[in-house]
Amino acid sequence: MTDDLSTRSLTAPTTDGQDPVSQPAPQSDSQPVSQPVSQSAPRPAKPDPRMPRLAELPSFLAFMAEGWDTPDRSAQTVPGAAEAAAHHRARLSAAHPGQPVVVAAGQAPVRSNDTRYDFRPDSDFFWLTGCGVEHGVLVMRPVPGGHDATLHLPEPARPGHPGFFADAEHGELWVGGAPGLAEWSGALGLDVRPLGELDAALGGLEKPLLTGGLDRDTALRHGLGPSADLGRTLSELRMIKDDWEIGQLREAVDRTVEGFAAVVREFPAAVAGGGERWLQGTFDRYARTHGNGPGYASIVGSAGHAATLHWVRCDGPVVEDKPVLLDLGVETNSYYTADVTRTFPASGEFSPAQRAVHDLVERAHRAGLAAVAPGRNFSDFHTAAMEVVARGLDDWGLLPVSVDEALSPQGQHHRRYLVCGIGHHLGLDVHDCARADYGAYQGAKMAPGMVLTVEPGLYFHEHDLTLPPELRGIGMRIEDDLLVTEDGTDVLSSALPLDATGLERWMTTR
């Protein structure tokens, strides 16, 4: 996926809308409200005897408390995640000795009114806990020799508690069998305490560092704001992947390659009328079946859409004589994601003009791959690929200046057709480690354990009048995921061909 680094901030919670048995009481106009309260239906000002509130009926409460068997309440974790998280906490503890640390999992964002998107935990929270529970908060309290870690989680509402049937967020009748604090403690090897004890825990800390999606009310009560220092530390620690993380990324890439094959098999259906969205849906279904889902909004661009860097609308046709750019990544159940791009001919064969563009991107890509190695500057693969692009465009007469002037800091004319970055760190976030210092990221040396992408491309827009007609509307990108090793690199996505002929042949074997 093309580089578009961003930062994260505290998110403000909203009240979940639920069944009328558990709706909050209406607020008067004189009460200050920070934002609208979402709900699934209006609540009457006076009780309606035709629709009694179940949670207020003693006989119903008693009846609902009995006669239930015990469902499966085991805590679902990815093998090795808890052990890896303990190692990660030790690294963070060493980086911030004597400083309290608070890391929050966050809350699913609102999609519309009282419906929410699927929850995905804050990446730093998962990296430190191996846990993906909404509203979870990790508190690391400094002690001699390091930190004590306590994980605060919401408790499930089970039979005998009114929330069992009245709480749509935590009631087992709504969400199914849910592990409790003891189950999570056993699975994670952590002290797990109720979320209700968080205020007391935070009150005992002196100037804690905070990151993640802590709810706004709690943050305000304790005077907490996001710590840029903690965010930077975590990003820089996460740059070097351990063996467990590398295994998760290998799985993500392998699944993604399988997902590419599933998509290519659907090209005829997409050409026949399913269009870009049919292909996007094919991959997203595969990613959700074999992992947590897509690691980012899947990009499928046919015809002129292939030249649009983040074409995630995917609402156009798939045209048989045009290339299809696929930028896809499976996110595993451990939340590590792949990020791979290939551009295929929908018909199975590139035209001469399409092949020429693909060949130039391939040469740039190979130059970039060759510049990735431990001890080399992170920027080396960027400059190596850009030089190939500039010289190729000059050979086609598309540069208004010399190659040297285009490549100069004051020039960059070739970037008209390649304005995005061509590589980034990869891990729990598709644009991983984004809060690191520039000197530790783009200004740093590559080191063993880093996983990154290399992804040059050429994007010739349909409405770009600097281009000859035969090139307009062609978009080509090649993207691989690489592990930096002690003596070079391991291209994790090498199962996909790089060259045009290889891609054409690969399509016939899927």
Side-chain angles (χ1 to χ4, degrees):
M1 186 180 191
T2 53
D3 200 358
D4 182 21
L5 302 181
S6 62
T7 58
R8 130 188 346 104
S9 63
L10 290 175
T11 56
T14 59
T15 301
D16 282 337
Q18 299 171 355
D19 182 84
V21 297
S22 58
Q23 290 171 13
Q27 295 178 301
S28 73
D29 292 340
S30 62
Q31 289 179 300
V33 291
S34 57
Q35 59 189 50
V37 176
S38 59
Q39 56 187 39
S40 57
R43 181 177 177 179
K46 296 181 179 180
D48 184 344
R50 298 169 301 173
M51 299 181 65
R53 294 179 59 79
L54 300 179
E56 298 172 357
L57 305 178
S59 61
F60 187 81
L61 286 171
F63 184 53
M64 288 297 287
E66 58 189 28
W68 301 97
D69 201 354
T70 302
D72 179 12
R73 291 170 174 155
S74 57
Q76 300 300 314
T77 59
V78 177
E83 294 79 5
H87 174 61
H88 299 161
R89 291 195 298 275
R91 292 173 62 194
L92 178 61
S93 178
H96 284 285
Q99 290 184 293
V101 170
V102 178
V103 184
Q107 180 181 24
V110 173
R111 182 182 185 276
S112 173
N113 187 35
D114 64 332
T115 61
R116 292 182 178 271
Y117 290 101
D118 287 345
F119 175 68
R120 198 273 195 191
D122 175 87
S123 294
D124 290 327
F125 176 85
F126 182 82
W127 192 74
L128 292 165
T129 65
C131 176
V133 174
E134 192 170 12
H135 303 294
V137 181
L138 174 70
V139 177
M140 295 177 62
R141 182 174 60 86
V143 296
H147 288 76
D148 277 346
T150 302
L151 179 60
H152 294 266
L153 297 178
E155 297 182 85
R158 294 173 173 171
H161 189 288
F164 171 64
F165 63 89
D167 184 342
E169 187 173 3
H170 302 113
E172 284 192 330
L173 204 63
W174 291 81
V175 301
L181 306 186
E183 288 88 355
W184 278 116
S185 181
L188 299 173
L190 268 170
D191 180 23
V192 179
R193 305 297 301 168
L195 192 60
E197 297 181 7
L198 178 62
D199 273 326
L202 294 180
L205 302 178
E206 184 177 354
K207 297 181 179 179
L209 304 177
L210 169 68
T211 191
L214 186 66
D215 74 89
R216 182 177 57 188
D217 290 343
T218 302
L220 289 174
R221 279 198 303 274
H222 296 277
L224 298 177
S227 167
D229 188 30
L230 178 58
R232 179 171 55 250
T233 297
L234 284 162
S235 275
E236 293 175 10
L237 289 175
R238 284 169 46 195
M239 281 184 177
I240 305 299
K241 273 63 177 178
D242 56 37
D243 289 343
W244 181 80
E245 292 180 283
I246 292 168
Q248 298 304 301
L249 285 163
R250 288 188 187 279
E251 178 185 346
V253 173
D254 290 346
R255 290 298 193 182
T256 298
V257 172
E258 295 168 4
F260 268 88
V263 171
V264 166
R265 287 195 294 269
E266 294 297 318
F267 272 17
V271 171
E276 295 168 341
R277 196 155 288 182
W278 183 266
L279 300 182
Q280 184 189 45
T282 297
F283 182 81
D284 290 2
R285 180 180 68 250
Y286 184 90
R288 191 162 172 80
T289 301
H290 298 285
N292 186 55
Y296 51 91
S298 300
I299 297 171
V300 179
S302 175
H305 295 158
T308 301
L309 294 173
H310 281 182
W311 183 253
V312 298
R313 283 162 40 193
C314 303
D315 59 0
V318 171
V319 181
E320 188 170 20
D321 63 350
K322 303 294 183 182
V324 182
L325 189 151
L326 302 175
D327 187 336
L328 310 170
V330 169
E331 180 180 86
T332 65
N333 290 322
S334 61
Y335 306 112
Y336 286 82
T337 185
D339 182 9
V340 181
T341 307
R342 290 296 189 272
T343 309
F344 296 91
S347 67
E349 185 175 347
F350 289 107
S351 72
Q354 294 163 4
R355 180 179 289 269
V357 178
H358 193 281
D359 288 350
L360 176 53
V361 173
E362 181 198 343
R363 293 196 299 273
H365 186 70
R366 292 186 184 277
L369 295 181
V372 177
R376 295 198 62 168
N377 293 326
F378 188 88
S379 58
D380 282 356
F381 67 84
H382 172 90
T383 55
M386 286 299 180
E387 181 172 352
V388 174
V389 167
R391 295 191 182 282
L393 294 174
D394 183 63
D395 290 342
W396 293 347
L398 295 180
L399 294 184
V401 298
S402 69
V403 171
D404 289 343
E405 185 175 349
L407 290 171
S408 72
Q410 295 75 34
Q412 302 295 299
H413 297 73
H414 57 292
R415 298 293 299 278
R416 178 187 180 100
Y417 312 108
L418 178 52
V419 299
C420 59
I422 64 161
H424 51 83
H425 282 274
L426 183 68
L428 280 166
D429 296 325
V430 64
H431 295 143
D432 211 28
C433 312
R435 291 184 290 173
D437 276 339
Y438 183 90
Y441 198 123
Q442 295 99 323
K445 305 285 186 183
M446 289 178 275
M450 289 182 175
V451 177
L452 52 91
T453 71
V454 174
E455 50 173 320
L458 283 170
Y459 309 98
F460 296 146
H461 291 274
E462 288 180 314
H463 54 285
D464 190 340
L465 301 182
T466 68
L467 297 166
E470 66 271 16
L471 294 182
R472 294 176 193 169
I474 295 177
M476 297 282 181
R477 179 160 67 247
I478 304 174
E479 179 179 21
D480 279 307
D481 300 343
L482 293 80
L483 167 66
V484 181
T485 64
E486 293 289 344
D487 55 2
T489 60
D490 181 358
V491 181
L492 305 180
S493 47
S494 61
L496 284 172
L498 295 183
D499 62 293
T501 300
L503 288 171
E504 291 171 343
R505 291 173 178 167
W506 189 85
M507 293 176 68
T508 66
T509 65
R510 298 306 101 195

